[in-house]
């Protein structure tokens, strides 16, 4: 008889007092320390909004949309989950109220509840519980993060569902972690516990007594403050974890370990596991703390005011720095400012590398084209991601191939040279949600190319999120003038391209490069989603290394003058 699998244990993470206190990082760091103890962990995020997924929200509303291998457009916290663990997230790890209501209402219309009244409890809560169990499938420990802040009306069904789950699964199998904020009041010179007390009170009112409080603060928490929180919140002192601000989020697993959180979790859930092996996290922390050369990367985008909208990208660049042993300074440039400036190129001059990230819509597009041109002509390392590849192709078509009004049909439907266009299958799409080219797809890399060298392989699998593609009708002309198509997709969807590639294959352009350039690389996919601090992505490692080489060469030049 096969041994009976241990049942999955659950940690439910809620947040109180204010939003943006690092609930996602806390959940991810708990997962990291428990994985370091040898457990198979997974995570899921429950989002209370009514959108089915965040794919149709703009980044100002929601920050970055994180894309999983299986093509789900999800909350950016799933990015943290992957970066902090070795788990792979998917559709089932991101649950929204929109999905829950869509499923329940779909069943109601089909007549599944015929004769009954459909209610939040039990129908909505049952659906939430079913999805939590599905997300946990196969893991020893599943960490469930509830979005929003305790006290929000829309979060109530989720809190009710996790309250029920604790009752049903028992104390040995489920516990509650509440992440709160302990503000430092300058005039009093004190950390104040009252907001935490109130937030825990609100939780207890709905039947949830937290087992652990993760207390975020900007100052160290003295023992008497810990004691006070323990007493008033009815949480034993061992369960009160101090989480002071640290220079890098990758230090949080070590902070939690230091506070004994992993042992506390093991004690509460009856988990017998080895000591946490955290050497990877120590190494990363040491790297990040140690002084080293610094490179500046100019990011030319549209939502540069809102750093959260490029979360995975910022992290991937930081990881690239870890790989090269240097610091990466991000210089965000509003693409429209480049257009307006008399000498846009001067704005980029200080950079060691230029990056044009993914994006949608025409605002700032000429500024991005200018950035690609400046990087190409001045031989500054360039990385173009998705839209960043597309603008590089437009730029090359206009200024090297002489196709003056070359454009993407996304920005100029009447362009005489639509070098980037929509495939017929996309043109028929009317629903905006979840209909782009999404998720992981394989890519063949040409032997000897920069792409193949970076990956150390002739194949790659990367995540997509776009509607437009390089127009194969122009590929021969681009290649004649020196652009190299180093990566192509030749899977089943490639037939949609209508025109085959010049070599006769049915394929879509995945990566481009300019061989006679220190580093000029564009990819139609988003490598940033797959970079992890413990495994920096080769494209970012290569790009940052090229930027560092330029910085060093310039330093030597200056030294010689
Ligand atoms: N707007 C472009 C497209 O849809 C690029 C998308 C992106 O950069 N993710 O193809």
């Amino acid at each position: 008889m096969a041994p009976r699998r241990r049942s999955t244990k659950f940690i439910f993470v809620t947040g109180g007092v204010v939003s943006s206190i690092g609930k996602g990082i806390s959940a991810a760091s708990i997962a990291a320390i428990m994985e370091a103890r040898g457990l198979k962990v997974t995570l899921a995020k429950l989002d209370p909004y009514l959108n089915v997924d965040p794919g149709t929200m703009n980044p100002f509303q929601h920050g970055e949309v994180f894309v999983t291998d299986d093509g789900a457009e999800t909350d950016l916290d799933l990015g943290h989950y992957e970066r902090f663990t070795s788990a792979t997230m998917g559709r089932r790890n991101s649950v929204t109220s929109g999905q829950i209501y869509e499923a329940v209402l779909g069943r109601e219309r089909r007549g599944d509840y015929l004769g009954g009244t459909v209610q939040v409890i039990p129908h909505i809560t049952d659906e939430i519980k079913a999805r939590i169990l599905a997300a946990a499938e196969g893991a020893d420990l599943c960490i469930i993060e509830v979005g929003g802040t305790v006290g929000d009306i829309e979060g109530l069904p989720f809190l009710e569902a996790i309250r029920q789950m604790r009752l049903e699964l028992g104390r040995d199998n489920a516990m509650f972690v509440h992440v709160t904020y302990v503000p430092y009041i300058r005039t009093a010179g004190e950390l104040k516990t009252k907001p935490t007390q109130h937030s825990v009170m609100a939780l207890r009112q709905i039947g949830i007594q937290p087992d652990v409080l993760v207390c975020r603060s900007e100052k160290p928490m003295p023992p008497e403050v810990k004691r006070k929180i323990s007493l008033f919140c009815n949480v034993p002192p061992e369960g009160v974890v101090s989480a002071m601000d640290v220079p890098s989020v990758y230090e949080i697993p070590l902070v939690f370990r230091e506070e004994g959180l992993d042992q506390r979790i093991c004690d509460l859930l009856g988990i017998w596991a080895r000591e946490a092996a955290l050497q990877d996290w120590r190494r990363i922390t040491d790297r990040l703390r140690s002084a080293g050369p610094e490179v500046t990367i100019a990011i030319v985008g549209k939502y540069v005011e809102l750093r959260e909208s490029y979360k995975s990208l910022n992290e991937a660049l930081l990881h690239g720095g870890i790989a090269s042993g240097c610091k990466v300074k991000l210089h965000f440039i509003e693409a429209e400012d480049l257009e307006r400036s008399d000498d846009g190129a001067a704005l980029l001059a200080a950079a060691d590398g230029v990056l044009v990230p993914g994006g949608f819509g025409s605002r700032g597009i000429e500024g991005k084209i200018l950035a690609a041109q400046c990087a190409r002509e001045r031989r500054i390392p360039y990385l173009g991601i998705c839209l960043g590849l597309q603008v590089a192709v437009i730029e090359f078509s206009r200024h090297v191939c002489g196709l003056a009004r070359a454009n993407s049909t996304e920005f100029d439907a009447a362009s005489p040279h639509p070098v980037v266009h929509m495939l017929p299958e996309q043109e028929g799409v009317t629903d905006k949600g979840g209909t782009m080219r999404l998720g992981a797809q394989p890519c063949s890399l040409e032997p000897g190319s920069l792409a193949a060298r970076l990956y150390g392989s002739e194949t790659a699998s990367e995540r997509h999120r776009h509607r437009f593609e390089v127009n194969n009708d122009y590929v021969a002309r681009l290649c004649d003038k020196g652009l190299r198509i180093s990566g192509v997709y030749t899977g089943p969807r490639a037939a949609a391209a209508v025109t085959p590639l010049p070599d006769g294959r049915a394929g879509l352009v995945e990566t481009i490069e300019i061989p006679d350039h220190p580093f000029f690389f564009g990819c139609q996919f988003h490598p940033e989603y797959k970079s992890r601090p413990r495994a920096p992505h080769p494209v970012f490692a290569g790009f940052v290394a090229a930027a560092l080489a330029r910085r060093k060469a310039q330093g030597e030049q200056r030294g010689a003058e």
Side-chain angles (χ1 to χ4, degrees):
M1 206 173 79
R4 212 172 78 86
R5 248 198 65 77
R6 276 177 299 167
S7 62
T8 307
K9 307 216 179 230
F10 288 87
I11 301 178
F12 297 107
V13 180
T14 54
V17 184
V18 284
S19 59
S20 308
I21 47 171
K23 187 155 42 80
I25 298 285
S26 297
S29 299
I30 291 174
I33 50 173
M34 298 313 288
E35 185 174 71
R37 293 191 68 136
L39 269 66
K40 183 166 165 30
V41 299
T42 192
L43 301 101
K45 173 89 191 270
L46 312 180
D47 270 310
Y49 49 73
L50 288 175
N51 300 63
V52 172
D53 65 40
T56 53
M57 288 187 228
N58 85 27
F60 279 122
Q61 290 282 320
H62 190 266
E64 167 188 273
V65 173
F66 186 77
V67 179
T68 55
D69 270 346
D70 65 1
E73 297 176 272
T74 71
D75 187 80
L76 57 78
D77 278 317
L78 270 78
H80 297 313
Y81 303 166
E82 286 199 346
R83 286 188 285 272
F84 277 79
T85 68
S86 43
T88 301
M89 295 292 112
R91 203 165 287 284
R92 65 178 191 167
N93 304 89
S94 173
V95 177
T96 66
S97 290
Q99 291 163 17
I100 301 285
Y101 278 91
E102 193 183 41
V104 171
L105 294 179
R107 284 202 288 270
E108 188 273 337
R109 289 290 83 184
R110 274 204 313 272
D112 291 7
Y113 308 113
L114 227 47
T117 308
V118 182
Q119 292 178 300
V120 172
I121 307 172
H123 301 98
I124 295 297
T125 45
D126 280 355
E127 181 66 21
I128 295 171
K129 289 194 287 181
R131 294 203 181 212
I132 291 175
L133 291 174
E137 213 24 71
D140 299 324
L141 179 66
C142 178
I143 293 131
I144 302 284
E145 179 190 348
V146 183
T149 307
V150 166
D152 298 346
I153 292 174
E154 35 174 39
L156 282 172
F158 287 117
L159 296 176
E160 170 59 15
I162 63 172
R163 184 195 67 76
Q164 292 177 14
M165 279 190 84
R166 156 77 163 250
L167 185 72
E168 288 159 5
L169 296 167
R171 290 186 164 271
D172 284 355
N173 292 314
M175 61 176 278
F176 296 114
V177 173
H178 189 54
V179 184
T180 82
Y181 184 57
V182 183
Y184 177 74
I185 305 298
R186 224 158 286 278
T187 46
E190 263 183 332
L191 285 172
K192 291 293 186 187
T193 65
K194 193 71 83 188
T196 297
Q197 295 179 39
H198 279 282
S199 157
V200 171
M201 235 185 279
L203 258 185
R204 286 163 59 184
Q205 237 161 29
I206 48 181
I208 295 176
Q209 165 65 54
D211 301 294
V212 166
L213 293 174
V214 171
C215 304
R216 298 276 295 105
S217 64
E218 54 174 307
K219 297 267 177 198
M221 205 156 87
E224 64 276 12
V225 173
K226 252 194 183 188
R227 271 200 300 275
K228 194 169 169 189
I229 291 177
S230 159
L231 186 66
F232 285 107
C233 298
N234 199 30
V235 173
E238 314 85 83
V240 182
V241 172
S242 157
M244 204 181 76
D245 294 350
V246 279
S248 155
V249 294
Y250 299 124
E251 295 189 20
I252 306 285
L254 300 176
V255 171
F256 283 180
R257 170 70 195 81
E258 208 48 44
E259 288 281 305
L261 180 55
D262 55 329
Q263 192 51 50
R264 182 77 194 139
I265 292 169
C266 287
D267 293 345
L268 284 165
L269 294 179
I271 296 170
W272 194 86
R274 61 159 202 242
E275 280 289 302
L278 289 163
Q279 53 276 14
D280 285 352
W281 297 105
R282 287 208 183 85
R283 187 178 45 81
I284 289 164
T285 300
D286 290 346
R287 269 282 174 105
L288 291 172
R289 286 204 170 206
S290 65
E294 186 179 84
V295 298
T296 303
I297 303 295
I299 299 182
V300 183
K302 191 161 72 163
Y303 295 106
V304 296
E305 290 302 313
L306 196 82
R307 302 294 152 89
E308 290 286 282
S309 60
Y310 297 118
K311 191 77 207 163
S312 296
L313 182 69
N314 303 346
E315 294 304 307
L317 284 164
L318 184 85
H319 306 161
I322 294 177
S324 287
C326 66
K327 299 219 175 309
V328 180
K329 203 168 121 209
L330 308 181
H331 178 41
F332 289 89
I333 298 178
E334 190 66 51
E336 281 183 308
D337 290 345
L338 272 189
E339 290 168 15
R340 282 192 287 264
S341 138
D342 292 337
D343 184 10
L347 272 174
L348 300 168
D352 305 304
V354 173
L355 193 152
V356 176
F360 296 84
S362 57
R363 186 162 70 78
I365 207 69
E366 292 300 322
K368 295 177 189 182
I369 293 172
L370 196 68
Q373 180 180 12
C374 171
R376 180 178 58 77
E377 291 176 351
R378 299 188 178 206
R379 302 176 60 77
I380 306 171
Y382 177 83
L383 177 56
I385 296 175
C386 203
L387 181 63
L389 168 141
Q390 297 174 358
V391 297
V393 168
I394 296 168
E395 190 280 315
F396 198 89
S397 305
R398 286 187 190 173
H399 305 123
V400 182
C401 300
L403 307 172
R405 278 186 55 210
N407 214 329
S408 162
T409 53
E410 182 178 5
F411 316 122
D412 178 6
S415 167
H417 299 293
V419 291
V420 176
H421 69 164
M422 212 185 244
L423 302 183
E425 61 166 23
Q426 272 290 339
E427 277 168 358
V429 169
T430 49
D431 278 2
K432 291 274 181 254
T435 53
M436 281 187 258
R437 181 179 175 197
L438 283 168
Q441 287 176 12
C443 169
S444 325
L445 308 173
E446 197 188 326
S449 62
L450 171 63
R453 280 197 314 258
L454 289 172
Y455 281 89
S457 168
E458 282 164 25
T459 55
S461 168
E462 293 285 5
R463 300 178 189 171
H464 290 252
R465 183 174 186 251
H466 58 104
R467 283 188 210 284
F468 293 81
E469 307 278 351
V470 173
N471 184 345
N472 284 352
D473 288 333
Y474 289 88
V475 167
R477 262 183 273 186
L478 292 164
C479 293
D480 277 351
K481 293 288 183 188
L483 194 76
R484 184 171 189 177
I485 307 296
S486 54
V488 293
Y489 165 82
T490 55
R493 279 189 74 261
V498 187
T499 312
L501 290 165
D503 63 10
R505 283 183 297 174
L508 298 172
V509 172
E510 287 280 300
T511 70
I512 61 159
E513 49 196 76
I514 297 177
D516 180 28
H517 188 285
F519 187 104
F520 195 101
F521 188 74
C523 46
Q524 191 56 77
F525 47 75
H526 290 270
E528 70 272 27
Y529 292 137
K530 285 183 66 172
S531 187
R532 301 185 187 208
R534 295 185 291 172
H537 192 288
V539 165
F540 288 92
F543 175 54
V544 171
L548 183 61
R550 177 182 163 85
R551 161 63 46 116
K552 284 188 176 154
Q554 281 187 332
E556 278 158 25
Q557 210 175 9
R558 250 174 253 131
E561 274 161 15

